[in-house]
Amino acid sequence: MVRAFRGATATEPSAVPTPDTGADATPAGASPAPDAAPGAGAGAGADAATGTAEQARATRPRLGRDLTLIAVVIAVLLAGLGVGGVFLYRTLYSPTAFVQHYLDLLSTGHAADALQVPGVAIDRSVMDAAGLPKNASEALLRKAAMATLTDVEVRSEHTDGGVTDVTVDYRAGGYAGTTTFQVESAGSIGVLPAWRFARSPLAVVDLTVHGSMTFQVNGFRLDKRQVALAGSEVDPADPVPMLMFTPGLYSVRVDTAISYSPGVAVLSDAPMKNVPVEVQTEPTEKFVSTVQSRVDDFLDQCATQRVLQPTGCPFGFVVQNRIDEPPQWSMITAPKITVVPHGEDWSIPAATGTAHIVVDIRSIYDGSVRHVDQDVPFTMAGTIDISPTGTASIQVTAVDGD
């Protein structure tokens, strides 16, 4: 029996079985049944959660590595800043840098600036307490009196208590030297440390120059009357104290028309030290020649005196009788003059010469006349005084026994 359904054809079945695929099938565009089981779609959610966890686990090592790298970079930067800070401190703000700055000023001849370095200028009372002459002149604390200072190299820095010893090697005027400076804190300038010399690097040369009122130090000409406390009243034999920089080489010499001396080198290598120096000059050839000429003229003048004993002259002739006519003198051989130091002046050592006399001697006893025509040897000596103006005063005397 064929049953007809309204709205349907006889040939259209009312239901079409679906193939058995083992899974529910939902026509395209159809909505799931309202009474679908709650567990539907849970498998896809589980897969998504698993992927997120794996991603998190993969992200954590990368984050750790990044944080470690950042920490390393920060540590390197901090270390660099520390090293740079230490370098800047040692180069610019340490006791060594303070001493190097002072030595740089000496090396370039900036004497006035070197005197302004804290602790260099010295109070006279401190000098007196240290046993140094408190009237020492500052004439050598200038560029014109300084020698070259090169090859400066710091050997060591050592701190004991509040004082730091900085030891430095150098060459002063070609001479190698080593000096230890004492440096102490002078507070700070802002956040930067400040320093000063705990002991002034100045020293004193106690200079005595025999035979000249003028002398040169490293080519710089000085006069005792200019640098001595007594001024023009200075005793030429007294030493003249003068301050000098440490380190430094000071070559003292004399080169005048009257006297000269080879250079005497003084290496100032110890702060607050008193260095006695004595310079003995010798007469110049020009001076000796001048003295010889003056003595020759003097003896020639003596020979013009027509007396047996020329006044003030080193020669004469003694007779027991009378003379008919005044004698005639002449010089045969003038003494060969030498000049030697004598205190702050000069002297003429004993020298021999020969004069000649011509005279007629009449005997008191019988009136006979004896004609004398003979040489008269003599020995003379002398002293030479040099006035403050440089004029030489020569005194000639006869040596007893001749």
Side-chain angles (χ1 to χ4, degrees):
M1 174 177 180
V2 176
R3 184 176 295 178
F5 292 87
R6 190 177 297 216
T9 63
T11 60
E12 188 176 31
S14 61
V16 180
T18 58
D20 187 6
T21 60
D24 295 333
T26 302
S31 297
D35 55 353
D47 290 342
T50 301
T52 302
E54 290 177 352
Q55 290 177 356
R57 285 193 298 270
T59 302
R60 279 195 294 269
R62 287 198 300 272
L63 179 60
R65 287 195 298 271
D66 291 344
L67 292 175
T68 301
L69 180 60
I70 292 172
V72 170
V73 171
I74 292 174
V76 170
L77 290 176
L78 291 176
L81 289 175
V83 171
V86 171
F87 175 77
L88 288 176
Y89 172 78
R90 292 191 60 84
T91 304
L92 300 176
Y93 307 115
S94 67
T96 292
F98 173 79
V99 171
Q100 286 180 320
H101 171 65
Y102 165 73
L103 295 177
D104 286 344
L105 293 175
L106 295 187
S107 299
T108 54
H110 290 81
D113 293 333
L115 283 173
Q116 298 301 315
V117 173
V120 174
I122 185 170
D123 188 84
R124 299 295 175 174
S125 61
V126 175
M127 295 180 62
D128 192 30
L132 299 176
K134 61 181 181 180
N135 60 335
S137 168
E138 297 182 359
L140 298 183
L141 302 180
R142 64 184 70 195
K143 181 177 181 179
M146 297 168 63
T148 57
L149 184 66
T150 58
D151 301 338
V152 176
E153 184 175 349
V154 176
R155 177 187 293 185
S156 65
E157 177 184 308
H158 174 71
T159 301
D160 184 7
V163 176
T164 299
D165 290 341
V166 179
T167 302
V168 181
D169 296 329
Y170 52 83
R171 294 190 70 83
Y175 290 81
T178 300
T179 298
T180 297
F181 300 93
Q182 293 183 335
V183 180
E184 64 183 1
S185 174
S188 62
I189 303 175
V191 297
L192 301 176
W195 306 98
R196 60 175 285 112
F197 284 108
R199 191 180 192 192
S200 171
L202 299 182
V204 175
V205 55
D206 225 6
L207 180 62
T208 303
V209 178
H210 299 291
S212 178
M213 291 294 284
T214 62
F215 55 93
Q216 298 177 35
V217 179
N218 291 336
F220 180 60
R221 188 175 294 275
L222 294 164
D223 191 301
K224 295 178 185 179
R225 292 159 291 193
Q226 295 173 337
V227 297
L229 184 64
S232 60
E233 301 300 321
V234 61
D235 187 333
D238 288 345
V240 178
M242 293 179 289
L243 289 167
M244 55 185 175
F245 287 112
T246 300
L249 182 76
Y250 295 86
S251 178
V252 183
R253 64 190 299 264
V254 175
D255 185 10
T256 69
I258 293 176
S259 59
Y260 77 95
S261 73
V264 178
V266 181
L267 180 61
S268 175
D269 60 355
M272 297 291 286
K273 182 180 180 181
N274 192 6
V275 183
V277 176
E278 191 165 353
V279 177
Q280 178 61 67
T281 61
E282 298 294 334
T284 63
E285 292 183 1
K286 181 179 180 180
F287 181 45
V288 175
S289 176
T290 299
V291 172
Q292 179 73 65
S293 179
R294 294 274 296 273
V295 170
D296 290 347
D297 291 343
F298 172 73
L299 294 176
D300 288 341
Q301 289 295 322
C302 286
T304 63
Q305 298 183 41
R306 302 195 64 182
V307 294
L308 292 174
Q309 299 290 334
T311 303
C313 298
F315 56 82
F317 192 76
V318 178
V319 298
Q320 301 298 327
N321 296 293
R322 294 183 306 213
I323 58 176
D324 281 352
E325 297 291 338
Q328 292 185 337
W329 288 99
S330 61
M331 291 300 302
I332 302 300
T333 305
K336 180 66 175 177
I337 297 301
T338 58
V339 178
V340 298
H342 180 70
E344 302 311 308
D345 293 306
W346 308 90
S347 65
I348 302 172
T352 60
T354 303
H356 189 83
I357 187 172
V358 176
V359 64
D360 290 333
I361 302 174
R362 183 176 296 276
S363 172
I364 298 176
Y365 178 71
D366 59 10
S368 61
V369 175
R370 180 171 65 92
H371 182 69
V372 176
D373 187 348
Q374 71 180 59
D375 291 342
V376 180
F378 66 93
T379 302
M380 58 151 283
T383 59
I384 307 170
D385 297 328
I386 306 298
S387 71
T389 61
T391 302
S393 175
I394 303 173
Q395 300 291 327
V396 173
T397 58
V399 175
D400 293 340
D402 294 289

